[in-house]
Amino acid sequence: MTRRPRSIIEPFKIKVVEPLPMRTVAEREQILARAGWNLFGVRATDVTFDFLTDSGTTAMSAAQWGAMMVADESYAGSRSFYRFEEVVQRLTGYHHVIPTHQGRAAEHLLFSLHCKAGELVPSNNHFDTTRANLEQLGVTAVDLVCAEGKDLRSEHPFKGDVDVVRLESFLTEHRGKVPFVMTTITNNAGGGQPVSLANLRAVSAVCRRFRVPFLLDACRFAENAWFIKVREAEHRERSARDIAREMFDLADGCLVSAKKDGLVNIGGFIALRDGAWVPDLRSRLILTEGFPTYGGLAARDLEAMAIGLDEVLDEAYLAYREAMTRYLADGLMRVGVPTMRPPGGHAVYVDAHELLPQIPAAQYPAQALAVELYRAEGIRSCEIGSVMFGKRPDGTFVPAQMELVRLAIPRRVYTQAHFDYVLEGIAEIAERRATLRGLAIVEEPAFLRHFTARFAPL
Ligand SMILES: *Cc1c(COP(=O)(O)O)cnc(C)c1O
């Protein structure tokens, strides 16, 4: 009989390695001063553990690197395109596949052709680029996530669910002004929380009843399918692939940034069941991205995506992915660092407001914590609080709803020993949390200030 292991392990062995950059605390203090205490201004070679984003930071497999070598770089009709197209068709059941260089290119292409100023597009939560691409067309992006999705502490297993009752009244109220309904799986802007299959079925039924197309923002489709398998009792015996297929079956199409569950460093696509929108999309694609059989990518990128989209549904990989995120979140909870519950798929969100009550929102507690994680431990994270959201268009300060530090986890990059080291470091910071001080902004641009603002410690 085979042993039932208690440990969930990295289900890969390592073939190519890259040294971890190491700096002393004194060196990092100088680096921070030069960067104006903004982690976007720090070079990656000065970061030991980079949790800034899970997007495009995946370690690719030997199979992906091998396929890149044999890619067919023909301008038209590349063999690599047909291989990629076949994989997407098999995964989604959608016949029409349009490659783009990344997710936001797919959004811009589809929205600019199929939305008009004055229309409204609901979702659970729109991701930043989705919202921005809609708003620049004069379209209103509306978030209809369920109430539990707004509660940091709720242990509800599917906090990415759409509030279906509100969706129905929304579609009744705005009949004729909604070009399509979207759902983000997993719900990135809502903490990477999954959407249940029951909810997707309900949203799909409402969309059919109102005859409105239903599109998935499906960047993390595999993580979402895995959460359905392990958290939604009636689907426990199904494979992640089978669940993913039902998610796609419930919708009419999807937009995907393959930089997440495509397990690649660049790439994206649109896939649609119905062909009505396709000729326009392809014409515009030629104008802005490239010929329809490469769409802004090299054929080697299409090869890497074709393999990544299959590898990501390996259940040993998905179990490990979930376990790693949970390991970090539960480890933080044990040392008294509050995080968003339950842990989502791709990131852990630390509640800096609760951890650092001595720092008022106007002194940016989440930025203070992010800076200290880097200064003391070489960990790069991302502030999602009043630096990012605290400034009104008229320039006045209004505290963000939450002060979060996001630790996004690159796929297949760090080992459990790395996470142990990170947990040790954060525990040490948590012990002396009462000594942490806030920051002031000394220089900032008119918008998207979190990327380039400069700070001074108080
Ligand atoms: C990353 C992301 C996008 C945008 O994709 P890019 O490849 O970064 O352009 C859109 N939606 C969601 C949910 C994402 O996570």
Side-chain angles (χ1 to χ4, degrees):
M1 241 188 45
T2 45
R3 180 171 78 85
R4 275 270 207 95
R6 267 165 316 186
S7 316
I8 295 175
I9 56 171
E10 291 87 359
F12 47 79
K13 52 186 179 173
I14 296 166
K15 190 161 194 160
V16 177
V17 297
E18 186 180 322
L20 272 185
M22 299 284 186
R23 300 283 177 267
T24 64
V25 172
E27 285 171 334
R28 285 195 293 260
E29 284 173 349
Q30 283 180 1
I31 290 163
L32 277 170
R34 272 203 304 276
W37 286 270
N38 186 331
L39 299 173
F40 284 100
V42 173
R43 292 185 182 202
T45 43
D46 294 324
V47 176
T48 304
F49 295 104
D50 207 342
F51 298 129
L52 188 64
T53 177
D54 68 317
S55 177
T57 51
T58 302
M60 291 209 297
S61 66
Q64 287 176 297
W65 285 111
M68 286 176 82
M69 206 61 218
V70 296
D72 170 9
E73 300 293 350
S74 303
Y75 191 97
S78 153
R79 164 171 42 77
S80 302
F81 171 75
Y82 294 109
R83 178 179 189 190
F84 162 72
E85 183 187 46
E86 199 266 324
V87 168
V88 175
Q89 287 171 336
R90 184 159 42 78
L91 168 69
T92 61
Y94 303 147
H95 182 68
H96 306 279
V97 181
I98 296 166
T100 60
H101 79 274
Q102 62 182 84
R104 69 199 68 184
E107 291 163 1
H108 179 71
L109 191 67
L110 191 137
F111 298 168
S112 62
L113 286 169
H114 294 287
C115 300
K116 291 191 295 290
E119 291 184 327
L120 305 96
V121 174
S123 186
N124 40 0
N125 287 111
H126 287 276
F127 180 65
D128 335 8
T129 60
T130 316
R131 175 179 301 280
N133 268 307
L134 288 168
E135 287 178 349
Q136 63 99 24
L137 294 165
V139 179
T140 309
V142 183
D143 292 338
L144 297 179
V145 75
C146 63
E148 292 84 355
K150 297 174 199 158
D151 175 0
L152 272 184
R153 297 286 172 272
S154 163
E155 290 280 351
H156 189 282
F158 292 104
K159 289 163 76 173
D161 280 0
V162 175
D163 183 335
V164 180
V165 174
R166 278 175 67 208
L167 177 65
E168 278 196 76
S169 54
F170 182 88
L171 290 174
T172 308
E173 189 184 336
H174 300 287
R175 207 179 273 273
K177 292 183 75 181
V178 179
F180 44 81
V181 170
M182 294 185 73
T183 297
T184 316
I185 52 171
T186 57
N187 192 21
N188 188 0
Q193 297 289 330
V195 181
S196 65
L197 203 49
N199 190 252
L200 289 170
R201 286 173 179 171
V203 172
S204 174
V206 169
C207 290
R208 295 230 156 124
R209 193 141 41 77
F210 283 83
R211 298 179 186 281
V212 176
F214 176 28
L215 301 178
L216 296 173
D217 182 349
C219 305
R220 296 179 183 79
F221 69 94
E223 290 174 10
N224 201 88
W226 180 255
F227 280 121
I228 289 172
K229 181 179 167 77
V230 297
R231 292 186 186 174
E232 205 170 348
E234 60 179 297
H235 304 298
R236 196 147 297 161
E237 302 306 319
R238 298 175 67 181
S239 68
R241 178 179 294 279
D242 181 44
I243 294 169
R245 179 53 188 268
E246 184 178 339
M247 297 179 339
F248 289 114
D249 282 346
L250 290 166
D252 300 294
C254 63
L255 304 167
V256 175
S257 164
K259 299 172 71 171
K260 289 72 176 243
D261 278 352
L263 300 182
V264 291
N265 307 119
I266 194 74
F269 60 91
I270 301 171
L272 297 167
R273 184 185 314 289
D274 187 88
W277 290 358
V278 173
D280 280 359
L281 288 171
R282 292 227 160 104
S283 305
R284 183 66 67 84
L285 185 79
I286 292 176
L287 198 63
T288 59
E289 287 280 289
F291 192 72
T293 58
Y294 70 85
L297 291 164
R300 52 182 172 268
D301 301 319
L302 298 172
E303 291 279 352
M305 273 200 288
I307 291 177
L309 290 168
D310 262 338
E311 283 182 351
V312 75
L313 285 165
D314 170 17
E315 298 196 356
Y317 163 76
L318 287 168
Y320 139 82
R321 175 81 178 149
E322 185 211 356
M324 271 303 176
T325 309
R326 191 162 16 91
Y327 188 77
L328 182 59
D330 291 353
L332 289 173
M333 195 155 75
R334 268 198 299 281
V335 297
V337 175
T339 61
M340 180 188 294
R341 300 298 306 172
H346 69 286
V348 172
Y349 296 72
V350 176
D351 184 350
H353 170 72
E354 190 174 320
L355 186 72
L356 305 174
Q358 75 276 19
I359 305 180
Q363 296 175 11
Y364 309 111
Q367 181 68 13
L369 179 60
V371 163
E372 184 59 13
L373 290 177
Y374 177 71
R375 189 195 69 83
E377 299 296 335
I379 298 167
R380 176 152 64 177
S381 55
C382 184
E383 192 262 12
I384 303 184
S386 290
V387 175
M388 198 179 268
F389 297 122
K391 192 181 165 190
R392 287 221 185 100
D394 67 5
T396 55
F397 177 81
V398 37
Q401 276 177 2
M402 298 186 234
E403 301 292 343
L404 301 176
V405 172
R406 184 183 76 176
L407 300 163
I409 305 176
R411 293 170 178 77
R412 308 193 289 204
V413 171
Y414 297 117
T415 66
Q416 188 170 340
H418 291 142
F419 284 100
D420 286 332
Y421 180 100
V422 164
L423 282 167
E424 237 176 77
I426 301 181
E428 195 275 325
I429 294 170
E431 273 173 35
R432 53 185 171 76
R433 61 180 152 217
T435 64
L436 267 61
R437 296 285 165 267
L439 299 139
I441 291 183
V442 294
E443 218 182 287
E444 62 180 313
F447 54 91
L448 292 175
R449 65 176 178 176
H450 54 285
F451 291 120
T452 53
R454 295 181 71 85
F455 300 83
L458 293 168

